[in-house]
Amino acid sequence: MSARMLPAGSDPIRPGPTAPVTIHVDGEPVTGAAGQTIAGIVLANGRLAWRRTSSDGRPRGLFCGIGVCFDCIVTVNGDRDVRACQRRACDGDVVSSQHDELPEVHR
Amino acid sequence: MTEVLVVGAGPAGLAAALAARARGAAVTLLDAADELGGQYWRHLPPQRPAARERALHHGWARFERMRRELEADPGCEVLTSAQVWAIEPADDDGRVGADGRLIDGGDRAVAGAAARAALVVHVLVGPVDGADRVARSIRPDALVLATGAHDRTLPFPGWDLPGVFTAGAAQALAKGERVAVGERVVVAGAGPFLLPVAASLAATGARVVGVHEANRPGRLAAGWLPRPWALIGAVGKAGELAGYAWNHVRHRIPYRTGSAVVAAHGTDRVEAVTIASLDRDWRPIAGTERRVEADAVCVSHGFTPRLELPIAAGCAITSDRFVVVDAGQGTSVAGVYAAGEITGIGGVDAALAEGAVAGHVAAGGSPTDAEISREMRARRTTTDFAGRIEASHGIRSGWTAWLDDDTLVCRCEEVPYGRLRATGDATCSTGLRSLKLTTRAGLGICQGRICGRTVEHLLGGDGGFADGVSTDRRPIAAPVRLAELAGASAPNRPEGHLRKETP
Amino acid sequence: MGYDVAVIGAGIVGAACARALAAEGLRVVVLERDAAASGTTGRGEGNLLVSDKGPGPELVLAQRAAALWPGTVAALADELGPDFPAVEYEPKGGLVVATTEQGAEPLAAFAQTQRAAGVDARVIGVDDALALEPHLARGITAAVHYPEDAQVQPVVATEALLASARRHGAEVRTGVEVTGALRDAQGRLRGVATTAGEIAADRVVLAAGPWTGEISSRLGAHLPVRPRRGMVLVTTRMPHRVFRKVYDGDYFGATQSSDAALQTSSVVESTAAGTVLVGSSREQVGFDDRMRVEVLRQVAAKALRLFPFLSGASVMRAYGGFRPYMPDHLPVIGADHRLDGLWHATGHEGAGIGLSLATAELIAAGIAGRAAPIDPSPFSPQRASLAPHLAEEAA
Ligand SMILES: Cc1cc2nc3c(=O)[nH]c(=O)nc-3n(C[C@H](O)[C@H](O)[C@H](O)COP(=O)(O)OP(=O)(O)OC[C@H]3O[C@@H](n4cnc5c(N)ncnc54)[C@H](O)[C@@H]3O)c2cc1C
Ligand SMILES: Cc1cc2nc3c(=O)[nH]c(=O)nc-3n(C[C@H](O)[C@H](O)[C@H](O)COP(=O)(O)OP(=O)(O)OC[C@H]3O[C@@H](n4cnc5c(N)ncnc54)[C@H](O)[C@@H]3O)c2cc1C
Ligand code: FES
C-alpha cells in the first residue's frame, strides 16, 4: 500500500464533509475531495508515479510537494507542464501524463 | 501614501503587511498559492474546513487573526494565485542618485524621504501554470520580499524512485490535504524540521518507523540541549495534536542520530531503504548498513532560500547565500526589504519578527521606533537560533561517499554523478555556466532549484567558479507561457500610484 | 620562458585560434579573465548560417566555415573520445520565410543574389515549406530553404576546441585578466601584463569579443568594437515540432542595421535536449545585462507569428549576451597596423560561433606567413570602411 487520505471520520482535526471531485487521468475517472490538488488525488488513489523521464524512461510522481521540483508535471485540459502538486483539481479536469521523448538528432 | 508590495504570504509576509498597514501604508500582499499562510500555516482548503484545524498548528489563532485583519482591511489588497515571474528595473531608475535618493521624482522628491524602489514587479494571476492568467505589473514605492525557502535534499542512490519525497512534501500533503505519503514511513536528513514532519505524519495515520538525524549527539549538544524533543519547542512548537503525536513519537518512534538513509531500493517504487551510521563528517561507517522496509521515505537535509526574486531585484547576497539585510531588514537596494527564511533559516518566530520590522520600515518607519521594539528584540534572539541550527545541523562534506556513479544528481536532465564528474574532468572547465551547459545539470525545468547547490558543491568544491556564476540566478522566476509573455503588459508609466493593470 | 602566441579570451574565437595555432606547432597560451565560454559564447545560440549573409566577404568567410565544420567536428570527436560531451553538430538546414506580402519579393530576390555567390538557396512554394515544417503558420507568403545551414552547441564546441588545443600543447589559463601591453625598446609588443604577472609572447591575438574595445585601448591600439545586446528565450522540453532553424525575413533588416534602438526578429530552433530556443533581439545598451520584459515580449510575439502552436509553450529561462559589434558590419581578422605583434580576431557580431573556425584558419595562416584559402584583406584592420571609425576614436 502507499499514500492515502485519512478518513474524515477518524481524523482528529474533524474536517468538514467532502464534496467529491472527479477528474480523468489518462482516461480513467479518479475521485477525490474538493480542494485537493491533482497530485493529492492521484496519490491517495494509489498511483505513486504518473510521468516517465525523457532519457531513461523512469517513473516519476511527486517529490517536493511545494512547486519547486517540477517532477509532478502533467497536461491539464490540454495545457502542458502543470505542476500537479500545486493545481487544485476541478471537477471534470482532463489530466494526461507527459512523456517527452528527446528529439531524434540527425548528425 | 507609501505603497508597499509584499511578495509571499507566509509568516514573514503576513507580519510585514500588517506592520506596513499599522504605519499607514497602502499594502498589496500577494502569494503564488491560493491560500495565505505560507509553508508553516498550510491548512485544509475552504472547501473542507476542519473544526479543529488549530490542533495541527502552533500559533493557529494568531494566523487566523492576521488573516482576518488583512482580509477585512480595505487598505490592503490581498492577491492570491499570483505568481511573480519577473522583477525588472523601472524606466525611471535613472533618476535615483548614487546616494539612493530620488533626484528628480517630481512631487515625490521629498527631501530626506527614503528612496522609492525603482522596480516593476510582473505578476500572473490565475490557476497555477494555467494558460491564460491575467498579467499585472506593479510599481510599488517599497517592496518586501518574503519568498521563504524549500527543502534541500541531497542525492542518494534511489532518491529518484517514486515514494521518495522531501520532508516538506510529506508535511504539505499532511497539512494541506490530510494525505499521508505512505503507511510505513522513514524520515531522514538533518535539522529540527524532521521532528514536526514525523509528528504530522503520525497525526495523519502513518506509521513512522524511524527518524534519522545525520548529525551525531556531540554536535547536536553543542547547539542544543541534548534532548532531541527540546528541538520541537524551538522550531516554534507543534500544535496540540502534533504535540500529542510528538508524545507518541517521543516514546514509540526511534530517533537515531548519526544515522542516514544512504540508499533507497525498488524497481518502480521504493520498497526499502538502507540505513547506515555516519561519522561526524557524514561519511557512512562500513558494516553498519541495515535494510528497512518502507513504502515512503521523507528526506530533507536543510533548506534553500528562494533567492530568484531578490537577485532579480539586484539585492546583495551573503557568502552563505542569504539576502543581506540591515537592522531595518533593508537590502542593498533602495526601497527593497527582505524577511523570513530568505535572510537566514530561523523558523517561524524569526520570520514573524523580521516581517514586522520589514513592513514597518518599508512603510517609512525606523527600526528604533517604539512600535516595533518587541520585534527588534525577538529578531535578535532568533538570529541566534538560526546560528544554532547551522552549527548543529549544517551539511557535512562526507555525504558524497554514499553516491555511486549511477546516482542521479540532476533529476530533470537525468545526469548521473559518474557522468557529471567525467565531463568536468574532460573539459577541465572552471566556469559554472560552461559546466552546466556541458553536463546539462541544472538546465531542466526546475532550473536547478533541486540540484543547483549540489552541483556547485560537486563540481566546484567550496572554492566557487571562475565565472562567478551561481545557480540561484533565474531572471524568469517561474515558467510563463509564450502567449502570456507576448501579451505582457507594456512598460509602466513611471509616475503615479500602485499601478494595477490588466491589459 | 615566453610563448610564441598569447591569445586573449577563451570564447569560441579564442579557442579556435588557440587550437589552430597550437596545431602549427607554436607554443600557445590562452588568457581568460573569467572561465572558458563565459562571455558572449556562453550566452548566444549556435547557428552556423550562410542563409543570412548577402554576397560579400562575410559570406565567403561563412562558406569557408561551413566547409570546415563537419571535418572539425569529426576530428574533435576522434581526438577527445566518448567521455567528452558531443558538440551537437546538426546540419539541419534553415528555412527563411516571409510573413507579409511585401516581404515575399525581397526574400526571393535576396536568395537569387546568394545563389549567384554559390549558396544553395532554394526558393520553395508555401506548400513545400509546410511539408518541411508542418507546424509553421499558415499565413506565410514565401519561403527559401537553405540546406547548408547547421547548428552546434557553442559552449561544448568551445570546450572541445580548447581541449584539443591543450592536447597540442597549448596552455589555458582562466581567471587571468590582461591589463596592458609589454613593449620592447622599439615599441613592438612583446607580451602582456596580467593580473597574474607579466607574460611574454612574440605575438598577441586579441579575441576578447565585445570587451575588445576596452582592452585594445589598454594595449594601445583601439578597435571600435561595441556590445550589442541580444536575448533568447528557452522553453521547457516538448515534443519535437520544429525541425530546422526557422526564421523570418525581418532578420536581415536587424542584422544589417546599425540602429541602436531595440530590434527583434524571430529565430526558432529545437535543441538536442528537446527545448526550443526563441530568439532574438538586438539593441545597444552598453553592458547593461538586466532582463527587460519588453524585449522578451517582442521576441515572444514575433515567434508566435511563425509558430502559433508555441503559444502554450512554457518559457523557463531567458538569457542574453553582448554581440561584438563592428560599425562597418565586418569582423576584424589580421595584424594590427599600429602595434607590431598584435593580431585581431573579433567583431563577429551575431555570427562568431559559425565564423570562428574560418577566422582561426586566417589567423594561423597569417602568423605562419602562409597563403590562406580565402582572401584575408577585406577583414584587415586597415580596410577603408573601418578607417573613419579608427580616426574618430583617435580624435
Ligand atoms: C514544505 C515546508 C514545510 C514546512 N513546515 C514547517 C513546519 O511544519 N514547522 C516549522 O517550524 N517550519 C516549517 N517549515 C519551515 C518554514 O519555511 C518556516 O518556518 C516559515 O514558514 C518561514 O516563513 P516565511 O514567511 O519566511 O516563508 P514561507 O512560509 O515559505 O512563505 C513564502 C511564501 O512566498 C510565496 N512565494 C515564493 N515565491 C513567490 C513568487 N515568485 N511569487 C509569489 N509568491 C511567492 C510562497 O508561495 C510562500 O507562500 C517548512 C518549510 C517548508 C519548505
Ligand atoms: C543572443 C545571441 C545570439 C547569438 N546567436 C548566434 C548564432 O546563432 N550563431 C553565431 O554564429 N553567433 C551567434 N551569436 C554571436 C556569438 O555568440 C559571438 O559572435 C561569439 O560568441 C563571439 O565569440 P568571441 O570568442 O569573439 O567572444 P566571447 O565569447 O565574448 O569571448 C571573449 C572572452 O574574452 C574574455 N576577456 C575579455 N576581456 C579580457 C581581458 N582583459 N583579459 C582576459 N580575458 C578577457 C571574456 O571573459 C570572454 O570570455 C549570438 C550572440 C548573442 C548575444
Ligand atoms: S512535486 Fe515538486 S513541483 Fe510538484
Side-chain angles (χ1 to χ4, degrees), chain B residues 85-91 93 122 412-414 422-423 426-435 437-438 440 442-447 466-467 469 473 475-476 478-491, chain C residues 33-39 42-43 83-85 88 153 155-156 159 163 166 174-175 233 235-237 271 273 275 278 289-294 296-298 300-301 303-304 307 310-319:
Chain B
W85 66 272
I87 293 183
E88 66 170 335
D91 290 333
D93 64 345
H122 293 274
C412 298
E413 296 301 289
E414 298 170 80
T423 301
T427 62
C428 306
S429 186
T430 54
L432 183 57
R433 179 185 308 280
S434 168
L435 285 162
L437 284 155
T438 48
R440 295 211 53 79
L443 291 183
I445 185 169
C446 94
Q447 289 290 289
D467 56 358
V469 168
R473 189 168 181 274
I476 294 204
V480 42
R481 310 257 173 203
L482 218 58
E484 290 174 325
L485 198 47
S489 51
Chain C
R33 176 177 67 185
D34 296 330
S38 64
R43 297 159 193 249
D83 259 359
F84 209 94
E88 296 174 14
Q153 213 276 28
V155 171
V156 183
E159 293 287 8
R166 276 194 297 266
T174 58
L233 306 174
T235 72
T236 57
R237 179 175 293 137
T271 71
T275 61
V278 177
D289 73 347
R290 292 173 299 180
M291 186 186 81
R292 306 304 301 228
V293 169
E294 175 57 19
L296 305 188
R297 190 188 67 72
Q298 289 192 24
L304 294 182
F307 287 106
L310 286 175
S311 64
S314 321
V315 175
M316 63 174 177
R317 178 165 72 238
Y319 64 87

Side-chain angles (χ1 to χ4, degrees), chain A residues 62-65 67-72 83 85:
Chain A
L62 178 137
F63 178 63
C64 77
V68 294
C69 78
F70 291 78
D71 249 4
C72 64
R83 284 166 289 173
C85 72

